[in-house]
Amino acid sequence: MNSESDFIKTVFGLKLKQQRQKKNWSLQDLAVKTGLSKSYLNEIENGKKYPKHDKIIQLSEALQCTFDDLVSTKLDKSLAPFNEILQSDFFKEIPLELFGINKNNLISIISDAPKKVTAFINALIEISQNYNLGKERFYFAVLRSFQELYDNYFPEIEEKVSLFTRENNLTTDNLQPDILEKILSEKFNYSIQSEDFEKYGTLDHLRSLFMPEKKLLLLNRKLEKDQKTFILAKEIGFNVLELKVRPTTYSWLDFGSFEEILNNFYASYFAGALLISKEPVIEKTADFFLHNKWEPQNFEELISSFTHSPETFYYRLTNILSAEMGIKDLFYLCLVKKKDSDKIQILKELHLNHQQAPHANATNEHYCRRWIAVKNLHYLKENETLTGAQISHYKDQGISYLVISTSQKNPFSDGSNRSYCLGILLNPHTIKKIGFIKSPSLQTINVGVTCESCSIPDCEVRQAPPVRLDKEHFNLSMKNSIEKIRKEFEK
């Protein structure tokens, strides 16, 4: 809640509504019995107004409850779980208006069916504890939902990028680190210097540190050109978009608030749109899809025409494919395989239009080794960039995706490899847009999500038995047996 006053008004409204509903009265009934207007009582119940002392007495007498029953901020058992939520930073941390949710409507849902909603929230809490869902994961899950709600396309930021580009006479050719440094120095009074972070005991993965009190940006000396360019573009984004609440390190070291994470996303979006201009990427990507044969070098050339960072390019495609090219059913994944380990992790994921088949799993199950992104990670050699594609068919769901993936060694890690992949759901609409979809060089592979849930028999790369599937089969067998017993005894 925004303040102690808001909390008190909200609790009073909840308790008044609860007392009214105990008597099965409508708002009109209470209005008649108290002489107070229906609209005024509605505002009280929605936490917008707090009645004066004499009005509270009228309400308590009409409802046959004590004055303290209404004014006490102590909630009874049915509403107790919401006490912590209402007093926490929940409403402040997660701006519900981003999702079109009105705070008062949410409170109304809580008060209408407190026991059912309580059970639901307790279940969510228990699930989050079982799966170790901390604040960080929760915030990023909310952010992903926000991105997916808007197809990961934000025209206001695109317009600000376009305006900034025109005002500063920027083109693809002159978006170099020295130009961006000059803009930060002259327009936003930045001081920028390269630094050897290792001498301070920091790890190589710390790419930059911003000191707002001095407007000093320290950049890791080991940054590659594209990494440095992205960080500088992102700093410009923070300033152009006037985002004050922000992280000061790259990569993340602390998670202060959801606003911080949201603003970091906005600045990153600005950077991607600045470095990979919308119109040229739409034109060149459309041309790429017109090819009648899949050739990895064509996609690698498409990436290199904009950036040397596959990650930036893949993510930029998620902005424009849905909004500008009509390809709405897609997913983006970033997978990592650490040095001297066979374990695969999904670091980032995004699903547009609906929850796509390949998704992150928090229970340490083994991701399908038939995914092109996973195969690339295993075949990747030192100092190599590897691009591949396949049609991944999920037999259990009966759906197929064109999946394109690029893998490379991550320079800011302990020797880990990363794969970036884009999946496009194949349907009559998307098949018409992809000229190489029937290319002989594009294999169709049956895949699963994890080994533990996969039904592919005799899989040559299976890492674990299909325990979840076995359990489902066992339960189905039990149901069939019970049905036989029922039929036998019904005779």
Side-chain angles (χ1 to χ4, degrees):
M1 304 296 284
N2 293 330
S3 67
E4 182 66 19
S5 173
D6 281 347
F7 171 70
I8 292 171
K9 286 191 286 187
T10 300
V11 170
F12 187 92
L14 284 171
K15 299 185 85 170
L16 177 61
K17 187 171 187 177
Q18 194 177 45
Q19 291 289 344
R20 174 175 64 79
Q21 289 177 333
K22 282 180 181 178
K23 291 189 170 294
N24 292 318
W25 290 354
S26 66
L27 270 176
Q28 183 60 41
D29 293 333
L30 185 58
V32 170
K33 294 178 184 295
T34 60
L36 303 174
S37 73
K38 181 181 175 181
S39 61
Y40 176 64
L41 291 170
N42 185 56
E43 287 187 299
I44 293 174
E45 288 194 357
N46 284 324
K48 293 181 179 179
K49 288 188 177 180
Y50 193 90
K52 291 182 179 180
H53 189 275
D54 59 325
K55 299 289 192 300
I56 298 175
I57 292 175
Q58 284 179 254
L59 289 166
S60 63
E61 288 177 348
L63 291 163
Q64 297 178 318
C65 64
T66 69
F67 185 92
D68 286 343
D69 284 337
L70 292 177
V71 300
S72 170
T73 56
K74 184 178 180 181
L75 296 170
D76 67 20
K77 183 179 178 181
S78 65
L79 292 174
F82 297 103
N83 189 52
E84 186 176 341
I85 293 174
L86 292 171
Q87 293 193 81
S88 73
D89 292 330
F90 179 78
F91 292 110
K92 182 173 67 178
E93 290 282 351
I94 308 297
L96 297 175
E97 64 274 6
L98 289 175
F99 300 89
I101 299 172
N102 181 289
K103 180 193 73 175
N104 294 321
N105 289 343
L106 191 62
I107 291 171
S108 178
I109 291 170
I110 293 172
S111 60
D112 279 341
K115 291 182 180 179
K116 291 180 180 178
V117 181
T118 297
F120 175 69
I121 289 184
N122 282 340
L124 291 180
I125 291 170
E126 184 176 339
I127 290 170
S128 70
Q129 289 172 340
N130 287 341
Y131 289 90
N132 193 27
L133 181 62
K135 184 178 180 181
E136 168 192 342
R137 285 190 178 183
F138 174 71
Y139 280 167
F140 280 111
V142 174
L143 176 61
R144 281 198 305 274
S145 297
F146 172 64
Q147 293 171 256
E148 292 159 8
L149 187 65
Y150 290 91
D151 287 336
N152 202 32
Y153 183 75
F154 297 86
E156 318 83 33
I157 301 180
E158 298 278 353
E159 182 55 40
K160 289 189 176 181
V161 168
S162 181
L163 179 62
F164 180 82
T165 300
R166 293 194 300 271
E167 288 176 348
N168 292 275
N169 298 313
L170 296 175
T171 65
T172 304
D173 296 331
N174 66 9
L175 278 171
Q176 301 299 319
D178 57 334
I179 298 295
L180 300 182
E181 282 194 37
K182 185 177 179 182
I183 291 173
L184 282 168
S185 299
E186 294 181 357
K187 285 187 173 290
F188 305 111
N189 302 314
Y190 268 55
S191 296
I192 302 169
Q193 64 186 64
S194 294
E195 191 62 51
D196 179 9
F197 287 158
E198 281 190 284
K199 70 181 182 182
Y200 298 103
T202 61
L203 300 176
D204 281 352
H205 67 252
L206 182 63
R207 301 188 185 190
S208 67
L209 172 63
F210 178 61
M211 301 173 68
E213 63 279 4
K214 293 186 175 182
K215 281 212 162 183
L216 173 62
L217 179 64
L218 300 177
L219 299 172
N220 193 321
R221 269 187 197 151
K222 294 185 178 181
L223 285 173
E224 294 184 352
K225 181 182 175 182
D226 281 284
Q227 294 168 330
K228 182 177 180 181
T229 303
F230 186 85
I231 291 171
L232 294 171
K234 187 174 171 181
E235 285 298 327
I236 291 173
F238 280 122
N239 286 273
V240 171
L241 301 177
E242 300 180 343
L243 305 172
K244 305 300 183 187
V245 180
R246 51 157 296 176
T248 57
T249 61
Y250 189 129
S251 301
W252 287 92
L253 296 179
D254 192 22
F255 302 86
S257 67
F258 180 73
E259 185 181 6
E260 193 174 291
I261 288 177
L262 183 62
N263 287 346
N264 183 71
F265 162 70
Y266 284 146
S268 297
Y269 188 104
F270 183 98
L274 179 63
L275 298 176
I276 301 179
S277 187
K278 182 171 69 173
E279 285 74 20
V281 77
I282 292 172
E283 181 182 350
K284 290 189 177 184
T285 302
D287 287 343
F288 164 76
F289 280 130
L290 290 177
H291 292 168
N292 57 20
K293 183 180 180 182
W294 162 255
E295 294 180 342
Q297 60 268 31
N298 289 341
F299 194 72
E300 290 180 353
E301 287 170 6
L302 176 63
I303 295 175
S304 62
S305 67
F306 294 99
T307 177
H308 291 103
S309 169
E311 181 176 16
T312 302
F313 183 78
Y314 271 83
Y315 196 80
R316 183 63 172 141
L317 284 183
T318 68
N319 302 146
I320 60 100
L321 284 178
S322 178
E324 300 290 346
M325 298 181 66
I327 299 176
K328 296 184 176 297
D329 294 285
L330 56 88
F331 68 82
Y332 163 79
L333 298 177
C334 171
L335 301 92
V336 64
K337 176 182 177 293
K338 292 186 177 180
K339 187 178 180 181
D340 301 324
S341 172
D342 284 331
K343 187 177 181 181
I344 305 292
Q345 292 178 290
I346 292 179
L347 292 185
K348 299 176 184 177
E349 66 175 320
L350 192 67
H351 303 266
L352 298 191
N353 212 24
H354 61 78
Q355 188 72 18
Q356 312 294 339
H359 51 80
N361 183 288
T363 57
N364 293 319
E365 292 187 6
H366 298 76
Y367 295 115
C368 180
R369 262 41 180 185
R370 292 184 171 197
W371 291 357
I372 185 66
V374 174
K375 287 188 285 189
N376 279 357
L377 283 174
H378 284 287
Y379 295 142
L380 189 65
K381 297 176 182 177
E382 192 72 28
N383 299 319
E384 181 185 33
T385 295
L386 187 60
T387 296
Q390 69 182 38
I391 295 176
S392 291
H393 179 66
Y394 289 82
K395 190 177 86 171
D396 293 340
Q397 291 90 0
I399 54 177
S400 298
Y401 295 87
L402 166 67
V403 184
I404 302 173
S405 176
T406 298
S407 300
Q408 63 176 183
K409 189 171 290 295
N410 179 23
F412 273 78
S413 70
D414 54 354
S416 66
N417 295 335
R418 288 194 179 189
S419 272
Y420 313 102
C421 69
L422 181 77
I424 298 173
L425 182 67
L426 295 181
N427 54 40
H429 174 70
T430 55
I431 288 173
K432 288 179 182 178
K433 290 180 174 286
I434 303 169
F436 55 82
I437 199 65
K438 295 183 179 179
S439 172
S441 57
L442 201 59
Q443 286 186 299
T444 297
I445 308 292
N446 286 328
V447 300
V449 177
T450 66
C451 294
E452 287 79 355
S453 62
C454 180
S455 64
I456 297 174
D458 304 319
C459 177
E460 73 285 357
V461 288
R462 181 179 288 283
Q463 300 293 302
V467 290
R468 275 209 285 153
L469 196 67
D470 288 345
K471 186 175 181 180
E472 289 176 13
H473 288 164
F474 174 79
N475 289 341
L476 181 60
S477 176
M478 289 291 287
K479 288 179 182 178
N480 290 336
S481 297
I482 290 170
E483 190 61 29
K484 287 181 181 179
I485 294 173
R486 288 182 184 278
K487 289 180 179 179
E488 181 68 28
F489 281 86
E490 285 174 355
K491 291 178 181 179

